[in-house]
Amino acid sequence: MPDTPPPTVTETDCRIPIGEGSLFARIWTPEGAESGRPAPVLLFHDSLGCVELWRDFPGLLAAATGRRVVAYDRLGFGRSDPHPGPLDPDFIAREARQVVPSLCEQVGVTDFVACGHSVGGGMAVETAARFGTRCRALVTIAAQAFVEDRTLDGIRAARREFQDPANLARLARYHGGKAEWVVNAWIGTWMSPGFADWNLDEVLPAVRCPVLAVHGDGDEYGSGEHPRRIAAGRGTVHILPGTGHVPHRENRQGLIAAIRGFLGGI
């Protein structure tokens, strides 16, 4: 029999007001009845990311899983309002504590799957720990669980690359006039001595939902110790071969297949 074609997915954009400004969000909704639809996926982007830099991954994930997918630009990123200053050292936990509740309320999300890339993976962990049974599953993609030498070496290399104005100009296509702040927030925070002891060790035991920790075997920003630590006693590590730090661009189909299989089993 022929394969069933993937469902049509519609996109809806909205603004999410929070205390410090307004966030841009996009929702991908697969066709079909709302009743009985499984919990949506909340996407948390990386340190240089935004909704547009997910490219076509959210729509393909929505079609593959039959779930709504919600992505948003954090304050200071993409089409969201500028950030009022430097990032606080606890910005990862703060996202779960202060932003996610407003996001869920305003887009009508009760239960959800938390899914984050890189530093967004840490935000997804914090969200899963804070929201208890409302978080039905946790997926991390190339996430960091602590500050590792490999992570800092990758950031130092990126800092040299951003000395070329052309690289900053490319980033400005997605962040506009906020691009320089985005780069400085990433590099300045991770290289700060005050951030050197950051880790997820204390929050991970509070995660009670099923966990999938996806990592590329060639990730230039983190070793396999990160997914092992995230999943230890809580879930499964999935290593993508021939993949670096951005699986949703470098191995999109492998990533979607891993997430679809994981969510289909819970």
Side-chain angles (χ1 to χ4, degrees), residues 108-247:
V109 167
T110 304
D111 296 347
F112 57 84
V113 173
C115 178
H117 171 232
S118 192
V119 75
M123 293 173 181
V125 170
E126 291 277 1
T127 298
R130 178 167 290 274
F131 279 75
T133 58
R134 286 183 60 185
C135 185
R136 306 301 298 273
L138 167 66
V139 179
T140 64
I141 305 167
Q144 295 92 12
F146 59 97
V147 180
E148 186 181 40
D149 287 344
R150 184 188 296 193
T151 309
L152 299 181
D153 288 344
I155 292 172
R156 291 186 187 99
R159 180 170 57 187
R160 291 191 294 270
E161 292 175 2
F162 276 112
Q163 291 175 358
D164 181 350
N167 290 327
L168 187 63
R170 279 191 285 272
L171 197 65
R173 282 185 273 175
Y174 302 97
H175 301 289
K178 303 185 293 290
E180 187 171 359
W181 179 91
V182 168
V183 172
N184 290 337
W186 174 43
I187 295 172
T189 301
W190 279 86
M191 300 302 295
S192 167
F195 195 70
D197 293 329
W198 170 83
N199 60 70
L200 294 173
D201 290 351
E202 290 188 8
V203 71
L204 277 166
V207 175
R208 302 300 183 192
C209 62
V211 175
L212 174 67
V214 183
H215 212 76
D217 65 356
D219 192 321
E220 60 272 36
Y221 288 97
S223 70
E225 176 58 24
H226 295 278
R228 287 192 291 271
R229 191 174 295 193
I230 290 169
R234 285 170 288 274
T236 302
V237 173
H238 185 93
I239 302 298
L240 292 170
T243 306
H245 188 61
V246 193

Side-chain angles (χ1 to χ4, degrees), residues 250-262:
E250 300 169 42
N251 194 344
R252 182 183 58 199
Q253 294 303 326
L255 175 61
I256 289 173
I259 296 174
R260 180 180 58 207
F262 167 66

Side-chain angles (χ1 to χ4, degrees), residues 32-151:
E34 284 294 327
S35 60
R37 190 188 299 279
V41 179
L42 298 186
L43 289 182
F44 298 85
H45 65 72
D46 66 299
S47 293
L48 300 181
C50 62
V51 169
E52 296 295 342
L53 282 169
W54 284 109
R55 309 272 167 90
D56 58 356
F57 171 73
L60 293 172
L61 183 63
T65 62
R67 298 172 183 260
R68 280 196 302 156
V69 175
V70 180
Y72 72 102
D73 295 337
R74 296 200 302 275
L75 198 68
F77 297 80
R79 287 190 254 177
S80 289
D81 287 348
H83 195 282
L87 289 179
D88 294 329
D90 72 337
F91 76 102
I92 295 173
R94 181 184 180 278
E95 197 72 17
R97 185 173 66 246
Q98 296 189 15
V99 177
V100 176
S102 293
L103 175 71
C104 288
E105 180 181 359
Q106 295 183 57
V107 300
V109 167
T110 304
D111 296 347
F112 57 84
V113 173
C115 178
H117 171 232
S118 192
V119 75
M123 293 173 181
V125 170
E126 291 277 1
T127 298
R130 178 167 290 274
F131 279 75
T133 58
R134 286 183 60 185
C135 185
R136 306 301 298 273
L138 167 66
V139 179
T140 64
I141 305 167
Q144 295 92 12
F146 59 97
V147 180
E148 186 181 40
D149 287 344
R150 184 188 296 193
T151 309

